[in-house]
Amino acid sequence: TVNSATLNAAVNPNGSATTVYFEWGTSTSYGNTTSSQSIGSGTSNVSVTANLTSLLSNTTYYYRVKAANANGTTYGSNMSFTTTAIPTGAIQVNATLDGTAWSGSVSYSLTGPENINGTSVPATFSGKLTGTYTLTYNSGGPSNATLNSTTPSVTQTLGANGTITYTLNFVSLPSAPSNPTATATSSSQINLSWTDNSNNETGFKIERKTSVG
């Protein structure tokens, strides 16, 4: 598996009380041993197993069985196994401004099996653990713009060897109108006018009060 393995061997005591254990490690120098096991003094093969845990993922390990009794010590052949790689994938974060690809500084966070802090777009985060991630926009982005949406969703699930993509969609803020004028046409009516400097506003809001400031 990713971080565990079971070692197996068959040892014949050949009529003498025998103890066995496994030597193991990431090279044929081994460097680790399992607990010693007594397999009796019979004359037929005895199955021996040992469980290894806390192993590194995607790593080749070497092992051999060692048997000892009054007649001496015998080593089995060198064997090996490779642990499974941890499933990972990639996360991409892009941005648009008014529907056009945009690049620059922007602060965002991805929370999930791993926590990621991003500082710019576009960005690709490779070798990330699989699972569900949620993107949170923090600050930054294009000047005079606001975040309108995150597509396709702020929460997505990353599969093994897969890629998920987040797109931060910014829209420009309307430019402020200029040249406001007020013309009194009667004792009860004032006509207001201004220059519209924007092409993406949805309307105007007029505020009024009876004092200055």
Side-chain angles (χ1 to χ4, degrees):
T1 65
V2 170
N3 53 21
S4 64
T6 299
L7 306 182
N8 299 280
V11 179
N12 189 334
N14 287 326
S16 184
T18 300
T19 57
V20 299
Y21 61 85
F22 291 93
E23 297 178 319
W24 64 277
T26 54
S27 72
T28 52
S29 297
Y30 307 110
N32 303 283
T33 60
T34 63
S35 299
S36 178
Q37 303 177 51
S38 175
I39 61 170
S41 55
T43 56
S44 59
N45 285 342
V46 177
S47 296
V48 181
T49 63
N51 295 319
L52 305 182
T53 58
S54 300
L55 302 178
L56 300 175
S57 64
N58 196 29
T59 301
T60 298
Y61 286 88
Y62 301 88
Y63 69 97
R64 67 180 178 182
V65 67
K66 179 178 179 180
N69 59 27
N71 299 320
T73 300
T74 300
Y75 296 90
S77 300
N78 176 66
M79 306 293 287
S80 68
F81 65 90
T82 300
T83 51
T84 305
I86 296 176
T88 61
I91 302 173
Q92 295 180 345
V93 182
N94 302 318
T96 65
L97 174 61
D98 299 329
T100 300
W102 178 88
S103 62
S105 298
V106 57
S107 172
Y108 53 90
S109 304
L110 287 158
T111 54
E114 295 186 58
N115 294 328
I116 304 165
N117 293 317
T119 58
S120 64
V121 290
T124 300
F125 305 95
S126 301
K128 297 307 175 183
L129 296 176
T130 58
T132 299
Y133 287 86
T134 298
L135 184 144
T136 301
Y137 166 75
N138 298 323
S139 62
S143 60
N144 298 316
T146 187
L147 181 67
N148 182 58
S149 65
T150 300
T151 54
S153 172
V154 294
T155 299
Q156 299 184 57
T157 299
L158 178 63
N161 302 314
T163 300
I164 55 176
T165 301
Y166 294 91
T167 301
L168 300 171
N169 301 300
F170 294 92
V171 293
S172 297
L173 296 174
S175 298
S178 59
N179 303 318
T181 61
T183 304
T185 59
S186 70
S187 61
S188 61
Q189 180 175 322
I190 297 176
N191 291 341
L192 304 177
S193 65
W194 58 87
T195 300
D196 181 3
N197 297 314
S198 181
N199 60 6
N200 64 342
E201 78 278 4
T202 58
F204 293 93
K205 180 180 179 180
I206 297 174
E207 300 177 322
R208 70 175 184 176
K209 63 180 182 178
T210 57
S211 61
V212 178

